[in-house]
Amino acid sequence: MNRSTNLDNLSPSEKPDISLVSYDDQASRLPQPGAVSTNTTYEEGASNLPLDPSSVKTSRWRLGLPHQPTIKSFILFLCLLILSQGILVSGYINSVVTTIEKRFELQSTSAGLIVSGYEIGSLIAVSFVSYFGGKSHRPKIIAWGSIVTAIGAFICALPHFMSSPYRLTSTHNFSDGNLCNNAKFADNHTAAEPAEGEVCRNKTENSLYIILIFAEILIGMGATPVLTLGTSYIDDHVTRENSSLYIGMLYATGALAPALGFLLGSVFLNIYVDNVTVDITPNDPRWVGCWWGGFLLCGSCILVLALPIFVFPRSLAKPEVLEAGNEVLESTAIDEHDLQLSKREKMEKLEEQLRSLPGAVWRLVTNVTFITICFACAMEVSIVSGFLTFLSKFIELQYEKTASSANILTGVVAVPAAFIGIFGGGFLMKKFTIQPKPAAFLSLVCNFVSLLLILTLFPVGCGNPSIPGITVPFIKDSTLTSVNLSLTCNQGCGCSYDGYAPICFEHDEMPITYFSPCQAGCTQKTSIPGTSTKNYTECSCLSDSGYPDAYLTSGKCDLNCTMLPVFMLLLFIIVLISTTAQVPALMVTIRSVSEEDKPFALGLQIVFLRALGYLPAPIYYGRVIDSTCLLWQTECGSRGQCFVYDNIKYRHYYIGLCAGLKGIGFIFFLTAWFFFKPKREASDEIADHELPDDNISTISGHLDHRNVAEFDTSSLSDLVGSSLA
């Protein structure tokens, strides 16, 4: 028998107020035995009271939580969970991807594929989560998804434990200090031969990066329910005026995550990969940081935070019920009509919605404004995804910074600029009551200005280091026609070029960086006490060039480039202006379609952004970066990592790709503005200048380029509900 129905039948004098009094007080207020009641007996009334919490051993008590679950405690745990997951997927993976590239000797294209694994997993899960999750136990789905994310994080660290300890090289040269050894190779050998099968065995280990792709897919699948279902759960259990505040707290927390992720990466990359003492520093290009440590830390935090989410019920009390008179609690979070539909009614509803789906699709694909704004936004997020993935690598190589310091710069400049820009765009829309047509023009102007600023980045960089045989000819040579590291002065040294160990010769006219001590023909090495710096002497290539007494020091020569502050300042302004256009662009999307098509339109835009932006961008950005490589590592007949890039070409291609995407986006923004015709009038339920409550997550989803699928919780549920069932 239903509790609320029984108690409703009681007279006012017999009805116990169970919302304000204790369990014992409620028992004392029951109708006494023998009391006349035509509706409910004493036993029935007593049986319908809530159980004493001490007699119910739920998971809540096993976890040691002393109070009943409330929506505020749910928000607290969800914020912490979003922060932990955001650190992992929005910042940390991007901060260590180039270190993974170096550790497993990968091309940048393969590194980009690792990052895209998250998007693949999210695309797989988003439709199922949005549709089935909205009709199921949402907290449990969030918790199980978080456990999947934690497992994915642990699997990301697995390749480190499955491979042998990282070695600076696999040849004899490094065991001899990477020196020229004429005695061992006097029989006309010009290169050191590795131990039989040793290099190819390492190559097999390097294929472990495939595990990282699989792990990223798991992380993408597991992270999807957090914002998709979490925001709808909160919206169902708070008053309408508080909904925006609480959901805004979620996204404000998520907005901090990328910066913290990059900072976490900088900490771990200052620790050597095998956590042992080595005689090189993070400034050495051979250095590989502890890339796997952050995965274990984030995975552990996510796992711990997922456990309390399990204790929350399928639905809590709606606040309006409590305010109406503190009557018996009843949940309005679940659509009882949907739960009670018969199978026949469900099938009829499904058939009706499927029949209407082609018409909705046709209305959207023939809507010029909607399609062009989707393509424009796809170009924007392509820049965000691809550019941000390799930004740390660009700073590291272009301006000769360590991986750790490059991550710090990325975290404290690019991410805060995006945060300020997004909320700045929303503030402008609200403050000046910008209508949809002017909003389209604002997006167009922001895009054009940022395009002009991107063009100013072309000359803001450093030149190539002078590496004999790669970027400049040997001192005695006059021209350099192709990459060639061997010359008469080092032909008998048995040099192997499977490891980049640069040394610097401070030449009067131009500092020269040799690929390795062996390439310079050096036969002696001395260590400077108290430092990791080494001096190399008796170098035949310098003696032949007229510098018999010269010495070289370990490490690359300093280019004395001072363009980094200029680049970071321009980058901050470009990101700020670009992200300012995101909220106006979203408003154009909403206003360009009819009210009935809005959920479907926002969901379709998500598919556009993922399929055309977030997923492929890291891969083709990596491909473009690979095309600027001057010297590849070659093992077992296949390419490994790139040792030396053409810095000038790298900068031009990297910035040029961003400018090209911006230019294409400008054309689409221009077309959207020209053809824009609002489908909704100012007299509609939502005023043109307001941001709708059910689209808060849509707007804030832009804050995190890895969480765009969580744009609009209610819209996603409506989208899949309208099209699939």
Side-chain angles (χ1 to χ4, degrees), residues 600-613:
F600 193 12
L602 292 173
L604 187 61
Q605 187 181 63
I606 292 170
V607 176
F608 264 92
L609 298 184
R610 283 202 178 274
L612 302 180

Side-chain angles (χ1 to χ4, degrees), residues 413-677:
V413 175
V415 176
F419 181 85
I420 297 172
I422 291 170
F423 280 98
F427 174 79
L428 291 176
M429 294 286 294
K430 184 82 173 179
K431 179 70 174 178
F432 299 102
T433 318
I434 299 177
Q435 301 300 315
K437 184 78 172 183
F441 185 73
L442 176 60
S443 298
L444 179 66
V445 170
C446 289
N447 181 272
F448 181 71
V449 173
S450 59
L451 172 59
L452 294 180
L453 289 173
I454 286 177
L455 298 178
T456 66
L457 293 177
F458 278 100
V460 182
C462 305
N464 287 316
S466 299
I467 306 177
I470 301 179
T471 60
V472 296
F474 280 89
I475 294 177
K476 279 190 174 181
D477 291 346
S478 58
T479 58
L480 177 67
T481 57
S482 61
V483 174
N484 182 14
L485 297 177
S486 297
L487 203 66
T488 306
C489 62
N490 61 26
Q491 281 186 348
C493 293
C495 298
S496 175
Y497 301 113
D498 66 341
Y500 184 32
I503 58 174
C504 177
F505 172 47
E506 293 290 349
H507 193 265
D508 294 337
E509 299 178 359
M510 177 179 60
I512 297 176
T513 300
Y514 282 88
F515 183 85
S516 68
C518 186
Q519 190 218 10
C522 300
T523 58
Q524 298 295 326
K525 177 186 71 172
T526 57
S527 299
I528 300 177
T531 69
S532 60
T533 304
K534 300 175 179 61
N535 287 338
Y536 296 89
T537 56
E538 299 186 19
C539 303
S540 58
C541 290
L542 294 183
S543 298
D544 293 351
S545 302
Y547 301 95
D549 299 326
Y551 68 91
L552 298 89
T553 56
S554 55
K556 294 186 292 185
C557 296
D558 189 358
L559 293 178
N560 296 318
C561 180
T562 59
M563 300 301 291
L564 179 60
V566 179
F567 173 80
M568 299 309 299
L569 177 61
L570 288 174
L571 178 65
F572 182 89
I573 298 173
I574 291 169
V575 174
L576 179 67
I577 295 176
S578 296
T579 53
T580 300
Q582 292 190 8
V583 173
L586 172 66
M587 187 55 59
V588 174
T589 302
I590 295 173
R591 302 305 183 194
S592 65
V593 298
S594 62
E595 180 67 24
E596 62 174 329
D597 289 335
K598 186 189 72 171
F600 193 12
L602 292 173
L604 187 61
Q605 187 181 63
I606 292 170
V607 176
F608 264 92
L609 298 184
R610 283 202 178 274
L612 302 180
Y614 286 111
L615 199 158
I619 300 175
Y620 62 71
Y621 261 85
R623 182 67 175 175
V624 168
I625 292 172
D626 285 339
S627 68
T628 66
C629 183
L630 293 175
L631 181 64
W632 289 98
Q633 178 190 39
T634 303
E635 293 179 353
C636 301
S638 61
R639 284 181 176 179
Q641 64 175 314
C642 179
F643 286 142
V644 181
Y645 288 94
D646 185 332
N647 276 354
I648 299 175
K649 186 183 290 186
Y650 185 172
R651 182 175 70 252
H652 290 171
Y653 284 14
Y654 187 64
I655 302 301
L657 180 56
C658 295
L661 292 172
K662 271 285 183 183
I664 297 173
F666 174 77
I667 296 174
F668 283 121
F669 273 122
L670 180 62
T671 306
W673 171 71
F674 183 79
F675 286 98
F676 178 78
K677 293 181 181 179

Side-chain angles (χ1 to χ4, degrees), residues 350-416:
L350 173 62
E351 292 176 0
E352 179 183 353
Q353 292 172 341
L354 288 178
R355 284 194 299 268
S356 65
L357 179 60
V361 173
W362 177 253
R363 286 193 299 271
L364 292 179
V365 298
T366 56
N367 187 325
V368 177
T369 302
F370 172 75
I371 291 297
T372 53
I373 202 71
C374 284
F375 276 107
C377 291
M379 297 301 103
E380 291 293 308
V381 300
S382 295
I383 298 173
V384 173
S385 181
F387 186 83
L388 187 61
T389 297
F390 295 102
L391 179 57
S392 294
K393 178 174 183 175
F394 177 79
I395 296 174
E396 180 182 351
L397 296 175
Q398 190 72 206
Y399 303 102
E400 295 192 325
K401 296 295 179 181
T402 65
S404 176
S405 59
N407 284 326
I408 292 176
L409 290 171
T410 301
V412 302
V413 175
V415 176

